[in-house]
Structure formats: C-alpha cells, structure tokens
Amino acid sequence: DRAIQVVNILRSDVDLMVNRRVLIVMDEGAEAKLLFCDDSADDRHFLGTQVIEAYVGKNASLDLYCLEETHEKNTRVSNVYIDQQADSRLNHNVITLQNGITRNKLDLVFKGEGAECWCNGCVIADKSQHVDNNTLIDHQVGHCNSHELYKYVLDNKAVGAFAGRVLVRHGAQKTNSDERNQNLVMTKEAHMFTQPMLEIYADDVKCSHGSTVGQLNDAAMFYMQQRGIDEHEAKLLLEFAFIGEVIGQIKLEPLRDRLRQLVEKRFRSELGRCSNCRICK
C-alpha cells in the first residue's frame, strides 16, 4: 500500500564509483510505487551508474520515480528498460534538481494491446551542469497510448539535451502518442539541444510531437512588476509555474508536495545549503 523508497547517499574520503542494478517483475494485476533518490554528501568526484529493468505484466501498474540531488563533481549514468504487457499502466518520472553531468536513457516497449504510459522529466540546471535525456517509446502492437513531457530550465552556462523517439511499427494501428519538450534558457551562455522524433509505419494512428526553446515572457514579467512584484520574485514565480506542469503529473501525493518545496528552494539557491558546507559553493 505504501511506496518503496530507496535512498542512495554517496559518501567517501576518496573518489568513488558505484554501480546499481535493479530488476522489477510485476505479475498480472500487481501494483507498486518505487522512488529512487540519489544524493552525495562529500566533496569528491563520484561516478554512479544504474540499470533498471522492469517487466510490467498484464493489467499491472507501476509508478517509478528517479530523483537526483547530487553536486557538480558527480557524474550519473542511468539506463531504464521497461516492457509493458496488455492493459498495463506505467508512470515514469525523472527529476534532476542538482547534478554535475547526467545522462538518462529510457527504452520502453509496448508488447501487449491496451497499455498506456506517462513519461515525464524535469531538469533545473545552472553553473556548468550538463543533463541529457534520451528516450525511445516502441509501439510494437496497436491500441496503446503514450504521453511524454520533458521540461528544462537552464541558467548560467548549463547545457541540456533531449532526444525523444517514438516508433510506431507495422500493424500498430490505433496508436495514440503525444511528445512534448519545452525549455527555458535564461542566459546567452546556456545551451539546449532538442530533437523530438516520430517514426510511423502504420496508417491509422494519432501522433504528435513538438519542441520549444525560449526565454521568459517579457509581457508577463512587465504585468507582474506593474502589480508590485519585484523583478527577481517575478522571475522565480514564472520559472516555478513553468516546471509546475511536470510536478503536477506526479501521482504520489507526498512526493508531489515535497517536490514543490524542493523546486522553490532550488530556484532560490537554497537547496542543499547547510552550515559549514563547501560542496555547492
């Protein structure tokens, strides 16, 4: 009935590599909620890798959340592979709040009709942080629905990349798929690379994809300042509202409420700020 939370805290007096392998097998009709939290507590170079394999059986339901709050000396490589059987449900969310270099990969395959997935991503990066998200949603059979939403907010000299491919194979009729990547680039030094892709080999489908890269709306900033909100606070409110769409997709209510607090602290540069801590300075 409760979510399973796995907290990984990297601590070491030397540079360290950690490898994690997770296998999830969901039998017919089963339900599970899993939350993986990656943190680092020492000022060392860490390399963390993970492979998650999930088999979601017929009429099963899996909520899978991955949250990263490390630091700029951390490198993280994550590969997630998911097979969905008939009438199964998946809710996958990857959230990057603090990091150094991150590369997330998701490969999802529909192997039974009537399955549905929601794949969401949230990235907040500044300084010289780098975050890649690469996704593949493979519609091998018909009558399946996929929904994908990734949002980035990049500041300073941060670099973001998104490559999302939706593949609809021969015979996968009545497929319904939508893919969106939306990005805020706050400075001229920050860069975003985005490549949403559709590859369709069926003729009775409903598919869409799109990407946007831009800055904060000047009219919205002016409107808020005219009503007594200073420029800095107006900027924070608009950034928070932009990310809020992804946070609102999270079905696990305690995590959703907690993330709203963490995201606000992150935009205010308060996340991870502890007394006598030199990691994030």
Side-chain angles (χ1 to χ4, degrees), residues 117-133:
C117 75
W118 292 264
C119 302
N120 303 307
C122 166
V123 174
I124 303 173
D126 56 14
K127 301 177 184 175
S128 58
Q129 297 165 357
H130 188 119
V131 184
D132 290 355
N133 279 289

Side-chain angles (χ1 to χ4, degrees), residues 139-143 167-176 201-205:
H139 289 261
Q140 293 189 355
V141 297
H143 299 274
L167 172 60
V168 182
R169 296 184 181 269
H170 290 285
Q173 306 294 357
K174 303 298 182 181
T175 289
N176 183 9
Y201 299 98
D203 57 7
D204 188 7
V205 301

Side-chain angles (χ1 to χ4, degrees), residues 10-24:
L10 298 176
R11 302 208 64 180
S12 177
D13 54 2
V14 296
D15 296 344
L16 183 69
M17 179 174 70
V18 177
N19 305 299
R20 178 169 72 236
R21 183 87 182 238
V22 179
L23 175 63
I24 303 167

